[in-house]
Amino acid sequence: MRLALDVLGGDNGAGPNVAGAVLAVNTNPDLTAVLVGDQGQIESLLAAATVPRERIEIVHAPVAVDMKEKPVEALRKKPDASIFRCWQLLAEGAVDGLVSAGNTGAVVAGAAKSRKFLKCVQKPGIATIMPTARGRCIIVDVGANVFPKPRHLLEYGVMGSVFARKILGIEQPKIGLMNVGEEEGKGHELVQKTFELFRSGPLRDQFVGNIEGRDIHRGTVDVIVTDGFTGNVVLKLCEGVFEFVMNLVNQDVIGALDAEKEKGGAALKGLLGKYHYSAFGGAPLLGVDGVCIICHGSSKERAIANALGVAAREVREKVNDAIVAEIGALPADE
């Protein structure tokens, strides 16, 4: 399979992106990485790398979208920027998917411009993987669609359920709708109408009803459905709390130890390795015709390699085929 990597995306420059691609290619024997960025810079970074060069390709696209640029303006002024060139390659069928740690809005804008949506999917959604007391759960959407319709959220439930089965290995994922209370009838019109769609449709046996924010890390459900505005706030809040708690543990617990300080530090490092965002690599943009993984802007080598690995697994597991089949089985949108 062939996956495009936006080498110019992210906060850390091309170095970690190229290093992550090298690691991914060496780990996945069926993967060819198409590195999209400044050719001279990429070749310089690859010069000392030990990697099968026949599975590394370079597409010259020396223009980058800044992390603070407005996506629509970037799309108009920089149509040949590295992230948009990745989407062009996907639209042309030259690659099976793409990975970017760049401007999230630009990644989504590239998807919208290419119109490479799956059949029956009305709006793509960004999913993110969260650790729970019982393993992992997936939240859809965390930023692509801040003004969704009930039908969009129903489709997010389908796509999240497929991803949970195929990639997280959860045989019968439980689905919950993010709300301000568990009781039926809670929330605004959007969630109330979405509740009825879930309860009366093919996913009714998997749908457990409304859930609250505190249920995420308890592992109450496997798939959490919400609008992009709420989902993004939840994501950033969880990231901030995790960082805050880990810093407190490091300062107030590990720092207070004496004889067991080294063991405590090793345990904390292991905890960070297990639950840090880099462990999964990035957030899949579900609903596009192909595979797209959006990485954290601060992603380094490990995160990029893991994101490429997850993208490769999505291709192997034919996640999109299952999404098309299951959304196609939904009742027609009224």
Side-chain angles (χ1 to χ4, degrees):
M1 76 191 69
R2 296 161 56 82
L3 298 175
L5 175 64
D6 175 17
V7 172
L8 300 184
D11 301 327
N12 299 309
N17 286 315
V18 173
V22 169
L23 179 58
V25 167
N26 284 328
T27 306
N28 297 269
D30 59 344
L31 171 62
T32 293
V34 180
L35 306 185
V36 182
D38 183 86
Q39 183 169 356
Q41 186 181 28
I42 294 172
E43 289 177 344
S44 177
L45 290 167
L46 286 173
T50 302
V51 62
R53 289 299 298 268
E54 69 275 10
R55 291 198 286 119
I56 294 281
E57 297 179 13
I58 302 173
V59 172
H60 186 55
V63 179
V65 175
D66 187 81
M67 297 296 276
K68 295 183 179 180
E69 281 190 75
K70 294 182 179 179
V72 175
E73 289 185 9
L75 191 58
R76 177 170 53 85
K77 295 179 179 178
K78 301 177 177 179
D80 293 324
S82 57
I83 180 55
F84 303 137
R85 188 72 183 98
C86 287
W87 279 110
Q88 290 170 12
L89 292 171
L90 184 62
E92 294 165 2
V95 296
D96 301 297
L98 66 94
V99 171
S100 176
N103 184 311
T104 299
V107 178
V108 176
K113 184 178 186 297
S114 73
R115 299 300 299 175
K116 284 281 291 182
F117 298 170
L118 290 174
K119 181 182 178 181
C120 303
V121 171
Q122 295 186 7
K123 288 281 187 178
I126 301 174
T128 192
I129 311 302
M130 288 281 191
T132 78
R134 300 182 179 181
R136 286 174 170 172
C137 72
I138 182 171
I139 303 178
V140 195
D141 171 39
V142 295
N145 188 4
V146 298
F147 298 113
K149 297 178 180 179
R151 173 70 180 201
H152 302 162
L153 297 185
L154 178 65
E155 292 180 3
Y156 292 163
V158 173
M159 293 191 286
S161 178
V162 169
F163 191 90
R165 286 201 322 269
K166 295 277 189 177
I167 304 301
L168 301 184
I170 302 171
E171 186 174 345
Q172 187 73 1
K174 294 185 292 183
I175 302 170
L177 180 63
M178 182 68 73
N179 207 334
V180 295
E182 297 178 358
E183 301 83 3
E184 183 177 346
K186 283 277 190 174
H188 46 56
E189 184 180 10
L190 172 65
V191 293
Q192 290 184 24
K193 288 186 175 180
T194 303
F195 186 100
E196 292 302 322
L197 287 179
F198 274 111
R199 190 172 65 173
S200 62
L203 294 174
R204 57 184 171 272
D205 292 337
Q206 294 175 245
F207 183 58
V208 303
N210 295 322
I211 66 160
E212 299 175 303
R214 62 188 174 186
D215 294 315
I216 296 173
H217 297 295
R218 291 176 176 175
T220 304
V221 296
D222 306 300
V223 179
I224 299 162
V225 175
T226 189
D227 64 274
F229 183 92
T230 303
N232 193 265
V233 171
V234 167
L235 172 62
K236 300 298 174 57
L237 174 63
C238 290
E239 287 179 350
V241 170
F242 178 78
E243 182 179 352
F244 174 69
V245 171
M246 289 299 99
N247 285 337
L248 282 182
V249 171
N250 189 45
Q251 294 172 15
D252 298 345
V253 178
I254 306 301
L257 295 176
D258 187 14
E260 301 295 326
K261 191 169 187 175
E262 186 174 337
K263 289 183 179 180
L268 180 62
K269 185 176 181 181
L271 191 64
L272 283 168
K274 183 178 181 180
Y275 293 113
H276 194 263
Y277 67 81
S278 61
F280 196 80
L285 178 61
L286 300 176
V288 295
D289 189 4
V291 172
C292 174
I293 304 293
I294 303 173
C295 302
H296 200 287
S298 61
S299 293
K300 296 183 180 178
E301 175 183 349
R302 180 191 180 213
I304 297 299
N306 286 341
L308 286 164
V310 170
R313 188 175 176 193
E314 278 196 59
V315 175
R316 294 188 201 104
E317 295 292 335
K318 299 182 178 180
V319 169
N320 283 344
D321 289 349
I323 287 174
V324 169
E326 294 188 27
I327 288 183
L330 293 175
D333 188 20
E334 297 181 358

Coordinates of all heavy atoms in Angstrom, one line a residue, residues 98-159:
L98 N -3.4 9.3 3.7 CA -2.4 10.3 4.1 C -2.4 10.5 5.6 O -3.3 10.2 6.3 CB -2.8 11.6 3.4 CG -4.1 12.3 3.8 CD1 -3.9 13.4 4.8 CD2 -4.7 13.0 2.5
V99 N -1.2 11.0 6.0 CA -1.0 11.4 7.4 C -0.4 12.8 7.5 O 0.5 13.1 6.7 CB 0.0 10.3 8.1 CG1 0.4 10.8 9.5 CG2 -0.6 9.0 8.1
S100 N -0.9 13.6 8.4 CA -0.4 14.9 8.6 C -0.4 15.4 10.0 O -1.4 15.1 10.8 CB -1.2 15.9 7.8 OG -0.7 17.3 8.0
A101 N 0.6 16.0 10.5 CA 0.6 16.7 11.8 C 0.5 18.2 11.7 O 0.7 18.9 12.6 CB 2.0 16.3 12.5
G102 N 0.0 18.6 10.5 CA -0.1 20.0 10.3 C -1.4 20.6 10.7 O -2.1 20.0 11.6
N103 N -1.7 21.8 10.2 CA -2.9 22.6 10.6 C -4.2 21.7 10.4 O -4.5 21.3 9.2 CB -2.9 23.8 9.6 CG -4.1 24.7 9.9 OD1 -5.2 24.3 10.0 ND2 -3.7 26.0 10.0
T104 N -4.9 21.4 11.5 CA -6.0 20.5 11.4 C -7.1 21.1 10.4 O -7.7 20.3 9.6 CB -6.6 20.3 12.8 OG1 -5.6 19.6 13.6 CG2 -7.9 19.4 12.7
G105 N -7.3 22.4 10.5 CA -8.3 23.0 9.7 C -8.0 22.8 8.2 O -8.9 22.6 7.4
A106 N -6.7 22.9 7.9 CA -6.3 22.8 6.5 C -6.4 21.3 6.0 O -6.8 21.1 4.9 CB -4.8 23.2 6.4
V107 N -6.2 20.4 6.9 CA -6.4 19.0 6.6 C -7.9 18.7 6.2 O -8.2 18.1 5.2 CB -6.0 18.0 7.7 CG1 -6.3 16.6 7.3 CG2 -4.5 18.2 8.0
V108 N -8.8 19.3 7.1 CA -10.2 19.1 6.8 C -10.6 19.9 5.6 O -11.5 19.4 4.8 CB -11.0 19.5 8.0 CG1 -12.5 19.4 7.8 CG2 -10.7 18.7 9.3
A109 N -10.1 21.1 5.4 CA -10.4 21.8 4.2 C -10.0 21.1 2.9 O -10.7 21.1 1.9 CB -9.7 23.2 4.2
G110 N -8.8 20.5 3.0 CA -8.4 19.7 1.8 C -9.3 18.5 1.5 O -9.6 18.2 0.3
A111 N -9.9 17.9 2.6 CA -10.8 16.9 2.3 C -12.1 17.4 1.7 O -12.7 16.8 0.8 CB -11.2 16.2 3.7
A112 N -12.6 18.6 2.2 CA -13.8 19.2 1.6 C -13.6 19.6 0.2 O -14.5 19.4 -0.6 CB -14.2 20.4 2.5
K113 N -12.4 20.1 -0.2 CA -12.2 20.5 -1.5 C -12.1 19.3 -2.5 O -12.6 19.3 -3.6 CB -10.9 21.3 -1.6 CG -10.6 21.8 -3.1 CD -9.4 22.7 -3.1 CE -9.2 23.3 -4.5 NZ -9.0 22.3 -5.5
S114 N -11.5 18.2 -2.0 CA -11.4 17.0 -2.9 C -12.7 16.3 -3.0 O -12.9 15.6 -4.0 CB -10.3 16.1 -2.3 OG -10.8 15.4 -1.1
R115 N -13.6 16.5 -2.1 CA -14.9 15.8 -2.1 C -14.7 14.3 -2.1 O -15.6 13.6 -2.7 CB -15.8 16.3 -3.3 CG -16.1 17.8 -3.3 CD -16.9 18.2 -2.0 NE -18.1 17.5 -1.9 CZ -19.0 17.6 -0.9 NH1 -18.6 18.4 0.1 NH2 -20.1 17.0 -0.8
K116 N -13.6 13.9 -1.6 CA -13.4 12.4 -1.5 C -14.1 11.8 -0.3 O -13.5 11.2 0.5 CB -11.9 12.2 -1.5 CG -11.2 12.4 -2.8 CD -11.3 11.2 -3.7 CE -10.6 10.0 -3.2 NZ -10.7 8.8 -4.1
F117 N -15.4 11.9 -0.3 CA -16.2 11.3 0.8 C -16.7 9.9 0.3 O -16.9 9.7 -0.8 CB -17.4 12.2 1.1 CG -17.1 13.6 1.6 CD1 -18.1 14.5 1.7 CD2 -15.8 13.9 1.9 CE1 -17.8 15.8 2.2 CE2 -15.5 15.2 2.4 CZ -16.5 16.2 2.5
L118 N -16.9 9.1 1.3 CA -17.4 7.8 1.0 C -18.9 7.9 0.6 O -19.6 8.8 1.0 CB -17.3 6.9 2.3 CG -15.9 6.4 2.7 CD1 -16.0 5.7 4.0 CD2 -15.3 5.6 1.6
K119 N -19.3 6.9 -0.2 CA -20.7 6.8 -0.6 C -21.6 6.8 0.6 O -21.3 6.0 1.6 CB -20.8 5.6 -1.5 CG -22.2 5.4 -2.0 CD -22.3 4.1 -2.8 CE -23.8 3.9 -3.3 NZ -23.9 2.6 -4.1
C120 N -22.6 7.6 0.6 CA -23.6 7.6 1.7 C -23.2 8.5 2.9 O -24.0 8.8 3.7 CB -24.0 6.2 2.2 SG -24.6 5.1 1.0
V121 N -21.9 8.9 3.0 CA -21.5 9.7 4.1 C -21.7 11.2 3.8 O -21.3 11.7 2.8 CB -20.0 9.5 4.4 CG1 -19.5 10.5 5.4 CG2 -19.8 8.1 4.9
Q122 N -22.5 11.8 4.7 CA -22.8 13.3 4.4 C -21.7 14.2 4.9 O -21.4 15.2 4.3 CB -24.1 13.6 5.1 CG -25.3 12.9 4.5 CD -26.6 13.4 5.1 OE1 -26.7 14.3 5.9 NE2 -27.7 12.7 4.8
K123 N -21.1 13.9 6.1 CA -20.0 14.7 6.6 C -19.0 13.9 7.3 O -19.3 13.1 8.2 CB -20.6 15.7 7.7 CG -21.5 16.8 7.1 CD -20.6 17.9 6.5 CE -21.4 19.1 6.1 NZ -20.6 20.2 5.6
P124 N -17.7 14.0 7.0 CA -16.7 13.3 7.7 C -16.6 13.8 9.2 O -17.0 14.9 9.5 CB -15.4 13.6 6.9 CG -15.9 14.1 5.6 CD -17.2 14.8 5.9
G125 N -16.0 13.0 10.0 CA -15.8 13.4 11.4 C -14.5 12.9 11.9 O -14.0 11.9 11.5
I126 N -13.8 13.7 12.7 CA -12.6 13.4 13.3 C -12.8 12.5 14.6 O -13.6 12.9 15.5 CB -11.7 14.6 13.7 CG1 -11.5 15.5 12.5 CG2 -10.4 14.2 14.3 CD1 -10.8 16.8 12.8
A127 N -12.2 11.4 14.6 CA -12.3 10.5 15.8 C -11.0 10.6 16.6 O -9.9 10.8 16.1 CB -12.5 9.1 15.4
T128 N -11.1 10.4 17.9 CA -9.9 10.3 18.7 C -10.0 9.2 19.7 O -11.2 8.8 20.1 CB -9.7 11.6 19.5 OG1 -8.4 11.6 20.1 CG2 -10.7 11.8 20.7
I129 N -8.9 8.6 20.0 CA -8.9 7.4 20.9 C -8.6 7.9 22.4 O -7.6 8.6 22.6 CB -7.9 6.4 20.5 CG1 -8.0 6.1 19.0 CG2 -8.0 5.1 21.3 CD1 -9.4 5.6 18.6
M130 N -9.4 7.5 23.3 CA -9.2 7.9 24.7 C -9.0 6.6 25.6 O -9.6 5.6 25.4 CB -10.5 8.6 25.2 CG -10.7 9.9 24.7 SD -9.6 11.1 25.5 CE -10.3 12.7 24.9
P131 N -8.0 6.7 26.5 CA -7.8 5.6 27.5 C -9.0 5.6 28.5 O -9.5 6.6 28.9 CB -6.5 6.0 28.2 CG -6.5 7.4 28.1 CD -7.1 7.8 26.8
T132 N -9.4 4.4 28.9 CA -10.4 4.2 29.9 C -10.0 3.2 30.9 O -9.0 2.5 30.7 CB -11.8 3.8 29.3 OG1 -11.7 2.4 29.0 CG2 -12.1 4.5 28.0
A133 N -10.8 3.0 31.9 CA -10.5 2.0 33.0 C -10.6 0.6 32.4 O -10.2 -0.4 33.0 CB -11.5 2.2 34.1
R134 N -11.3 0.5 31.2 CA -11.5 -0.9 30.6 C -10.8 -1.1 29.3 O -11.0 -2.1 28.6 CB -13.0 -1.1 30.4 CG -13.8 -1.0 31.7 CD -15.3 -1.2 31.4 NE -16.1 -1.2 32.6 CZ -17.4 -1.4 32.7 NH1 -18.1 -1.6 31.6 NH2 -18.0 -1.3 33.8
G135 N -9.9 -0.1 29.0 CA -9.2 -0.2 27.7 C -9.2 1.1 26.9 O -8.6 2.1 27.4
R136 N -9.8 1.1 25.8 CA -9.9 2.3 25.0 C -11.3 2.6 24.5 O -12.1 1.6 24.3 CB -8.9 2.2 23.8 CG -7.5 2.4 24.1 CD -6.6 2.1 22.9 NE -5.2 2.5 23.2 CZ -4.2 2.2 22.3 NH1 -4.5 1.6 21.2 NH2 -3.0 2.6 22.6
C137 N -11.6 3.8 24.2 CA -12.9 4.2 23.6 C -12.6 5.2 22.5 O -11.4 5.7 22.4 CB -13.9 4.8 24.6 SG -13.4 6.4 25.2
I138 N -13.5 5.4 21.6 CA -13.4 6.4 20.5 C -14.5 7.4 20.6 O -15.6 7.1 20.9 CB -13.4 5.6 19.2 CG1 -13.2 6.6 18.0 CG2 -14.7 4.9 19.0 CD1 -13.0 5.9 16.7
I139 N -14.1 8.7 20.4 CA -15.0 9.8 20.4 C -15.1 10.4 19.0 O -14.0 10.7 18.3 CB -14.6 10.9 21.3 CG1 -14.4 10.4 22.8 CG2 -15.6 12.1 21.3 CD1 -13.9 11.4 23.8
V140 N -16.3 10.6 18.5 CA -16.5 11.2 17.1 C -17.6 12.2 17.3 O -18.7 11.8 17.8 CB -16.9 10.1 16.1 CG1 -16.8 10.7 14.7 CG2 -16.2 8.8 16.2
D141 N -17.5 13.4 17.0 CA -16.5 14.1 16.3 C -15.7 15.0 17.3 O -16.3 15.5 18.2 CB -17.1 15.0 15.2 CG -16.3 15.9 14.4 OD1 -15.1 15.6 14.1 OD2 -16.7 17.0 14.1
V142 N -14.4 15.3 17.0 CA -13.7 16.2 17.8 C -13.1 17.5 17.1 O -12.1 18.0 17.5 CB -12.5 15.5 18.5 CG1 -13.0 14.4 19.5 CG2 -11.5 14.9 17.5
G143 N -13.9 17.9 16.1 CA -13.5 19.2 15.5 C -13.8 19.4 14.0 O -13.7 20.5 13.5
A144 N -14.3 18.4 13.3 CA -14.5 18.6 11.8 C -15.8 19.3 11.6 O -16.0 20.0 10.6 CB -14.4 17.3 11.1
N145 N -16.8 19.0 12.4 CA -18.2 19.4 12.1 C -18.8 20.0 13.4 O -19.4 19.3 14.2 CB -19.0 18.2 11.6 CG -20.4 18.6 11.1 OD1 -20.8 19.7 11.0 ND2 -21.2 17.6 10.8
V146 N -18.8 21.3 13.5 CA -19.2 22.0 14.7 C -20.7 22.3 14.7 O -21.3 22.6 15.7 CB -18.4 23.3 15.0 CG1 -17.0 23.0 15.3 CG2 -18.6 24.3 13.9
F147 N -21.3 22.2 13.5 CA -22.8 22.4 13.4 C -23.4 21.2 12.7 O -24.0 21.3 11.6 CB -23.1 23.7 12.6 CG -22.6 24.9 13.2 CD1 -21.6 25.7 12.7 CD2 -23.1 25.4 14.4 CE1 -21.1 26.8 13.2 CE2 -22.6 26.5 15.1 CZ -21.6 27.3 14.5
P148 N -23.4 20.0 13.3 CA -23.9 18.8 12.7 C -25.5 18.8 12.7 O -26.1 19.4 13.5 CB -23.3 17.7 13.5 CG -23.2 18.3 14.9 CD -22.9 19.7 14.7
K149 N -26.0 17.9 11.9 CA -27.4 17.5 11.9 C -27.5 16.2 12.6 O -26.5 15.4 12.7 CB -28.0 17.5 10.5 CG -27.9 18.8 9.8 CD -28.4 18.6 8.3 CE -28.4 20.0 7.6 NZ -28.9 19.8 6.2
P150 N -28.7 15.8 13.1 CA -28.9 14.5 13.7 C -28.4 13.4 12.9 O -27.7 12.4 13.4 CB -30.4 14.4 14.0 CG -30.8 15.9 14.2 CD -29.9 16.6 13.2
R151 N -28.6 13.4 11.6 CA -28.2 12.3 10.7 C -26.7 12.2 10.7 O -26.1 11.1 10.6 CB -28.7 12.6 9.3 CG -28.1 11.6 8.2 CD -28.7 10.3 8.4 NE -28.2 9.4 7.3 CZ -28.8 8.2 7.0 NH1 -30.0 7.9 7.5 NH2 -28.3 7.5 6.0
H152 N -26.0 13.3 10.8 CA -24.5 13.3 10.8 C -24.0 12.5 12.0 O -23.1 11.7 12.0 CB -23.9 14.7 10.8 CG -24.3 15.5 9.7 ND1 -24.2 16.9 9.7 CD2 -24.8 15.2 8.4 CE1 -24.6 17.4 8.5 NE2 -24.9 16.4 7.8
L153 N -24.7 12.8 13.2 CA -24.2 12.1 14.4 C -24.6 10.6 14.4 O -23.8 9.8 14.9 CB -24.9 12.8 15.6 CG -24.6 14.3 15.9 CD1 -25.2 14.8 17.2 CD2 -23.0 14.5 15.9
L154 N -25.7 10.3 13.7 CA -26.0 8.9 13.6 C -24.9 8.2 12.8 O -24.5 7.1 13.1 CB -27.4 8.7 12.9 CG -27.8 7.3 12.6 CD1 -28.1 6.5 13.9 CD2 -29.1 7.3 11.8
E155 N -24.5 8.8 11.7 CA -23.4 8.2 10.9 C -22.1 8.2 11.6 O -21.3 7.2 11.4 CB -23.2 9.1 9.6 CG -24.4 9.0 8.6 CD -24.3 9.8 7.4 OE1 -23.2 10.4 7.2 OE2 -25.2 9.8 6.6
Y156 N -21.9 9.1 12.5 CA -20.6 9.0 13.4 C -20.7 7.8 14.3 O -19.7 7.2 14.5 CB -20.5 10.3 14.2 CG -20.2 11.6 13.4 CD1 -20.4 12.8 14.0 CD2 -19.7 11.5 12.1 CE1 -20.1 14.0 13.3 CE2 -19.5 12.6 11.4 CZ -19.6 13.9 12.0 OH -19.4 15.0 11.3
G157 N -21.9 7.5 14.7 CA -22.0 6.3 15.5 C -21.7 5.0 14.8 O -21.0 4.1 15.3
V158 N -22.1 5.0 13.5 CA -21.8 3.8 12.6 C -20.3 3.8 12.4 O -19.7 2.7 12.6 CB -22.5 4.0 11.3 CG1 -22.1 2.9 10.3 CG2 -24.0 3.9 11.5
M159 N -19.7 4.9 12.0 CA -18.3 4.9 11.7 C -17.4 4.6 12.9 O -16.5 3.8 12.8 CB -17.9 6.3 11.1 CG -18.5 6.5 9.7 SD -17.9 7.9 8.8 CE -18.6 9.3 9.7

